[in-house]
Amino acid sequence: MWRIWRRVGSLSPLFSSPKSSILRQDLIQAPYRLNFLGILSTENGTPATIGFFSKEKTPFIAFVLGGPGSGKGTQCAKIAEAFGFTHLSAGDLLRKEISSNSENGAMILATITEGKIVPSGVTIKLIRREMESIENNKFLIDGFPRSEENRIAFERITGVEPNIVLFFDCPEDEMVKRVLGRKQGRVDDNIDTIKKRLKVFAALNLPVINHYTRRGKVYKINAVGTIDEVFEKVRQVFDDCKMIK
Ligand SMILES: Nc1ncnc2c1ncn2[C@@H]1O[C@H](COP(=O)(O)OP(=O)(O)O)[C@@H](O)[C@H]1O
Ligand SMILES: Nc1ccn([C@@H]2O[C@H](COP(=O)(O)OP(=O)(O)O)[C@@H](O)[C@H]2O)c(=O)n1
Ligand SMILES: [Mg+2]
């Protein structure tokens, strides 16, 4: 029995707001939705032929956001290990696409070098491919959505919202210091691109965080401190989160 989208209203009341249905209405045209495969489904979840999210495999999704160098990747690795999540980094998937000489590789490289945002369709396709091929129902989606365009496209295509959003809040000077110290040979870890990325973060990513804050889904974590100190705060969120199966 396949079901290809998940009602926002089915989220725990702890995390949903009374305005949710109104906001959703603006995003997706009822009564039909398109799933990842482009198949229409009715609003009550039937009839279900085949789709991305089945009733049995409705994933728990945590979006992990924060500026460049705020520690998203570092903390995701620890969450994945401690809580059995699959960690999907949008940036890593895009970089893999560059190395695999895909048709979009040159465009992705140019976009990352400029610190800009790759078109949503490209990134969502990569995330989708991973989610489809991995047998897990708990996903950390790191560095996505980076913009309202990313967010709206993801919600339109999948018909779902994240269960929770982690936001690593870090001062700019600390982020710059960490990025410059990262030494992973990334084309965008230089002072010029970092300045651009910080601007893009403030202009495009903060609105996403504000949106999910209004939806009652954001856990804001002070990212200053040692990796272990930050993780203790993160652990608390996941320990307390009753929605994780
Ligand atoms: N709490 C922390 N304190 C100091 N350095 C950190 C901390 N968390 C991560 N780092 C380091 O900062 C750099 C950026 O971390 P990363 O996890 O890649 O951030 P992001 O994915 O948000 O860009 C890495 O070199 C990482 O080892
Ligand atoms: N959703 C996303 C995520 C990353 N990216 C691009 O990939 C770059 C690196 O992303 P990342 O998540 O690996 O960067 P960090 O914040 O981890 O340093 C971004 O600056 C964007 O250029 C994107 O276009 N869209
Ligand atoms: Mg990262």
Side-chain angles (χ1 to χ4, degrees), residues 117-189:
I117 307 299
V118 172
S120 302
V122 173
T123 315
I124 292 173
K125 201 168 129 192
L126 299 175
I127 294 172
R128 165 198 165 179
R129 202 158 70 190
E130 294 297 305
M131 290 181 85
E132 279 178 333
S133 66
I134 292 166
E135 277 296 318
N136 194 356
N137 65 347
K138 295 186 274 189
F139 291 93
L140 299 168
I141 305 188
D142 161 10
F144 183 96
R146 220 56 173 224
S147 64
E148 282 287 272
E149 191 221 353
N150 271 183
R151 177 184 72 73
I152 291 166
F154 182 89
E155 292 182 354
R156 272 221 177 102
I157 292 169
T158 64
V160 301
E161 287 192 9
N163 298 78
I164 63 170
V165 178
L166 289 190
F167 165 39
F168 289 104
D169 187 27
C170 196
E172 286 200 357
D173 55 350
E174 178 67 18
M175 291 195 272
V176 172
K177 198 172 82 187
R178 290 185 191 176
V179 169
L180 292 178
R182 185 154 48 187
K183 310 279 185 246
Q184 290 175 352
R186 281 174 48 170
V187 290
D188 53 346
D189 282 355

Side-chain angles (χ1 to χ4, degrees), residues 2-245:
W2 292 91
R3 193 168 175 184
I4 54 189
W5 68 284
R6 178 176 180 197
R7 286 186 67 91
V8 170
S10 70
L11 296 174
S12 152
L14 252 185
F15 297 93
S16 55
S17 85
K19 286 183 193 152
S20 61
S21 57
I22 300 162
L23 288 168
R24 288 288 294 166
Q25 245 5 62
D26 298 338
L27 294 174
I28 299 170
Q29 291 181 352
Y32 297 108
R33 282 162 171 61
L34 277 178
N35 74 346
F36 267 143
L37 303 174
I39 297 169
L40 283 170
S41 73
T42 59
E43 189 165 344
N44 65 11
T46 58
T49 46
I50 187 168
F52 184 65
F53 298 127
S54 70
K55 193 177 179 185
E56 296 78 24
K57 203 194 164 196
T58 305
F60 181 99
I61 297 176
F63 285 158
V64 181
L65 303 178
S70 59
K72 301 180 293 297
T74 304
Q75 295 297 325
C76 281
K78 293 177 83 66
I79 301 164
E81 198 189 337
F83 293 95
F85 276 75
T86 294
H87 173 204
L88 300 181
S89 156
D92 285 351
L93 292 174
L94 291 167
R95 283 183 286 274
K96 226 195 288 173
E97 199 64 0
I98 297 171
S99 340
S100 71
N101 293 318
S102 84
E103 53 171 345
N104 289 319
M107 177 275 290
I108 296 171
L109 176 61
T111 309
I112 288 181
T113 306
E114 275 303 300
K116 293 184 177 159
I117 307 299
V118 172
S120 302
V122 173
T123 315
I124 292 173
K125 201 168 129 192
L126 299 175
I127 294 172
R128 165 198 165 179
R129 202 158 70 190
E130 294 297 305
M131 290 181 85
E132 279 178 333
S133 66
I134 292 166
E135 277 296 318
N136 194 356
N137 65 347
K138 295 186 274 189
F139 291 93
L140 299 168
I141 305 188
D142 161 10
F144 183 96
R146 220 56 173 224
S147 64
E148 282 287 272
E149 191 221 353
N150 271 183
R151 177 184 72 73
I152 291 166
F154 182 89
E155 292 182 354
R156 272 221 177 102
I157 292 169
T158 64
V160 301
E161 287 192 9
N163 298 78
I164 63 170
V165 178
L166 289 190
F167 165 39
F168 289 104
D169 187 27
C170 196
E172 286 200 357
D173 55 350
E174 178 67 18
M175 291 195 272
V176 172
K177 198 172 82 187
R178 290 185 191 176
V179 169
L180 292 178
R182 185 154 48 187
K183 310 279 185 246
Q184 290 175 352
R186 281 174 48 170
V187 290
D188 53 346
D189 282 355
N190 59 76
I191 192 65
D192 287 345
T193 311
I194 293 166
K195 282 183 185 161
K196 291 179 190 168
R197 291 167 67 199
L198 288 171
K199 281 192 183 142
V200 167
F201 172 72
L204 302 185
N205 211 341
L206 283 180
V208 176
I209 292 160
N210 291 339
H211 169 84
Y212 285 127
T213 300
R214 289 192 296 274
R215 307 277 291 113
K217 295 188 171 183
V218 171
Y219 290 86
K220 181 169 159 178
I221 290 166
N222 180 354
V224 179
T226 65
I227 291 170
D228 287 342
E229 281 166 356
V230 175
F231 185 62
E232 280 317 302
K233 293 178 246 177
V234 172
R235 184 197 290 284
Q236 201 72 54
V237 171
F238 285 85
D239 277 344
D240 290 351
C241 192
K242 305 283 182 289
M243 287 187 296
I244 303 175
K245 296 156 236 163

